[in-house]
Amino acid sequence: MNSGRNFSIPQLNRSYFANCGSNNFLPQLLVKSILLLPRAIALGNNLLLRTLMRYNLLNGLASDEELSSLLHRKPSHHYKVYKIPKRKFGFRVIAQPTEELKNVQRKIVSLLEHRIKIHKSATAYREKMSIKDNAKIHSNSTYLLKLDLKDFFNSITPDILFNCLDEQNVVLSSYDKIALKELLFWNRTKKEKGKLVLSVGAPSSPFLSNVIMYSFDNEISNYCEKKGINYSRYADDMTFSTLGKGGLFVIPRVVETSLINHFQHNLKINYSKTIFSSKAHNRHITGITLANNNKLTIGRTKKKYVSALVHKAKYKLLDEHDLLHLQGLLSFVRHVEPDFISSLKNKYGSQVILNIKKYSVR
């Protein structure tokens, strides 16, 4: 009888996986686990063997003891919850995980981000993309439709995420799923079997929301492309635009059908926020105004407001809080409509604008 020390699997070597090609994709850590498996058995390393057999995606995230300890503390229950007022009415519930859990969530994102696809129509939470890029997609159009998803983050459950990862060929073990439920999702009721959802406040939630929307974005984008309609999604805000009159009225029904197909009834349109618009009216996309000359602007009202604040800053009539607020506004203006910064410099002097930019709390 052969000793365990002579155990080997010669066919599972690095050249084998190197020759697999993209059509036989396996997550890198899973490959690593398979390569280490014979060594674990040969060395009688029960801890290593147990870890390799349990986790696919999360293998290497932390030591077996650290991960077990964290999961034992039920991190999904330990979120700091508070409310902030929405821009028009109501409150937004923010649920922030502990710093320890935030760090783990960031590590999980780093494990996933190179293995999955984010659709090009998703413009939020993307490196080197902003609300300006989102608005620019629609700048040359005449007619506009804006749709909003109701309680977007809080409607995304573990099963939705797992299904979407499976669609993108990310292999999860049963242990991965148990761990990810606790590490990425918030138990808003704190009951033993309370509903788990993504929270507004977790650093991983924005990325994961784009992950779960990939197939939906792809389907809607393909439909719109055939109909000559522009489509973009900035988090829960979907925008559609076109040159032809009447082409957008069917879109809410198309979107609703697609949401049901992909997410059953978990994700829904907030019809109270549905807006149809055209060049005959003000058109706003994620805080940016589309001018009738097809340029992006901060809008007439915001220009008057910013100009009034700069006037007060020139004569030292603003307190610390208002100056910091004006700094942020000018940064936004500089990004969206730099020509207006030039107008402010001409009106109030370059030194005034520079002093505001350099202001810091002492």
Side-chain angles (χ1 to χ4, degrees):
M1 181 176 178
N2 288 336
S3 164
R5 297 184 181 278
N6 296 323
F7 187 93
S8 64
I9 307 178
Q11 67 270 30
L12 294 182
N13 53 38
R14 296 185 186 278
S15 61
Y16 170 81
F17 290 107
N19 293 326
C20 279
S22 58
N23 291 330
N24 294 298
F25 171 76
L26 281 172
Q28 184 179 354
L29 288 177
L30 178 57
V31 172
K32 179 181 176 183
S33 299
I34 295 173
L35 290 171
L36 286 174
L37 186 57
R39 181 175 169 226
I41 297 172
L43 296 176
N45 191 330
N46 294 329
L47 176 60
L48 176 59
L49 180 59
R50 188 167 74 252
T51 303
L52 293 178
M53 294 298 288
R54 287 174 64 177
Y55 296 109
N56 288 341
L57 176 68
L58 298 183
N59 182 31
L61 178 70
S63 71
D64 196 46
E65 291 87 347
E66 289 172 335
L67 199 51
S68 296
S69 174
L70 180 58
L71 294 174
H72 181 72
R73 283 176 269 150
K74 295 284 184 181
S76 65
H77 291 62
H78 302 298
Y79 280 65
K80 181 182 178 182
V81 181
Y82 55 94
K83 297 179 180 179
I84 59 173
K86 291 185 178 180
R87 187 163 56 92
K88 291 186 177 179
F89 58 89
F91 292 88
R92 189 180 307 279
V93 177
I94 308 295
Q96 271 200 343
T98 63
E99 284 302 319
E100 179 186 22
L101 186 54
K102 283 183 182 179
N103 290 332
V104 172
Q105 289 171 343
R106 293 186 185 102
K107 288 180 181 178
I108 294 173
V109 169
S110 70
L111 290 176
L112 280 170
E113 60 187 353
H114 300 300
R115 306 178 188 190
I116 53 82
K117 299 174 184 176
I118 303 296
H119 199 271
K120 63 181 180 180
S121 61
T123 57
Y125 321 124
R126 306 282 300 277
E127 190 175 354
K128 296 181 180 179
M129 296 196 78
S130 68
I131 57 174
K132 183 177 180 179
D133 297 294
N134 184 60
K136 196 181 294 183
I137 293 169
H138 309 280
S139 60
N140 294 321
S141 298
T142 304
Y143 300 94
L144 190 73
L145 165 63
K146 295 194 293 184
L147 295 177
D148 180 86
L149 292 173
K150 186 177 182 180
D151 296 327
F152 183 43
F153 280 12
N154 294 162
S155 299
I156 298 172
T157 63
D159 285 342
I160 290 175
L161 175 62
F162 298 156
N163 289 338
C164 293
L165 290 177
D166 183 62
E167 287 177 0
Q168 296 210 38
N169 300 317
V170 175
V171 180
L172 298 177
S173 70
S174 58
Y175 285 99
D176 282 321
K177 291 180 179 180
I178 292 170
L180 290 174
K181 285 181 181 180
E182 278 295 324
L183 298 175
L184 296 176
F185 292 86
W186 168 43
N187 185 330
R188 59 193 309 175
T189 65
K190 295 189 177 180
K191 294 180 180 179
E192 185 62 30
K193 294 186 178 180
K195 184 177 180 180
L196 295 169
V197 297
L198 289 187
S199 78
V200 179
S204 50
S205 293
F207 169 79
L208 295 174
S209 71
N210 276 341
V211 172
I212 71 106
M213 294 297 285
Y214 175 77
S215 293
F216 169 85
D217 285 336
N218 191 52
E219 182 176 301
I220 295 298
S221 183
N222 287 340
Y223 173 87
C224 289
E225 190 173 339
K226 293 174 183 176
K227 302 292 183 178
I229 297 171
N230 303 308
Y231 165 66
S232 70
R233 182 181 58 79
Y234 193 91
D236 55 352
D237 294 320
M238 293 177 284
T239 307
F240 304 83
S241 64
T242 185
L243 291 170
K245 188 175 182 180
L248 299 176
F249 293 116
V250 71
I251 292 296
R253 180 172 57 81
V254 172
V255 169
E256 185 173 37
T257 300
S258 184
L259 287 173
I260 292 171
N261 289 340
H262 288 281
F263 310 110
Q264 288 71 55
H265 291 279
N266 288 284
L267 268 61
K268 300 177 181 178
I269 297 173
N270 185 351
Y271 280 102
S272 67
K273 292 187 176 181
T274 298
I275 297 174
F276 287 92
S277 187
S278 71
K279 282 190 173 182
H281 307 88
N282 289 330
R283 296 174 301 150
H284 308 284
I285 301 176
T286 50
I288 295 177
T289 299
L290 302 184
N292 284 348
N293 61 1
N294 297 335
K295 291 186 177 181
L296 304 182
T297 173
I298 64 170
R300 189 181 307 164
T301 302
K302 190 164 287 184
K303 283 181 180 179
K304 288 181 178 180
Y305 177 62
V306 171
S307 185
L309 287 180
V310 173
H311 174 81
K312 289 183 178 182
K314 180 177 181 178
Y315 294 103
K316 304 187 187 305
L317 298 175
L318 296 182
D319 60 21
E320 178 184 291
H321 178 270
D322 289 334
L323 276 169
L324 293 175
H325 173 60
L326 179 55
Q327 262 188 351
L329 285 174
L330 290 179
S331 177
F332 173 71
V333 172
R334 198 173 286 109
H335 176 61
V336 175
E337 194 176 359
D339 287 349
F340 185 57
I341 293 291
S342 300
S343 298
L344 292 172
K345 288 178 179 179
N346 291 336
K347 186 173 183 178
Y348 299 106
S350 296
Q351 192 59 46
V352 171
I353 304 301
L354 184 62
N355 289 342
I356 297 170
K357 183 180 179 180
K358 289 186 174 182
Y359 177 79
S360 61
V361 180
R362 296 175 182 175

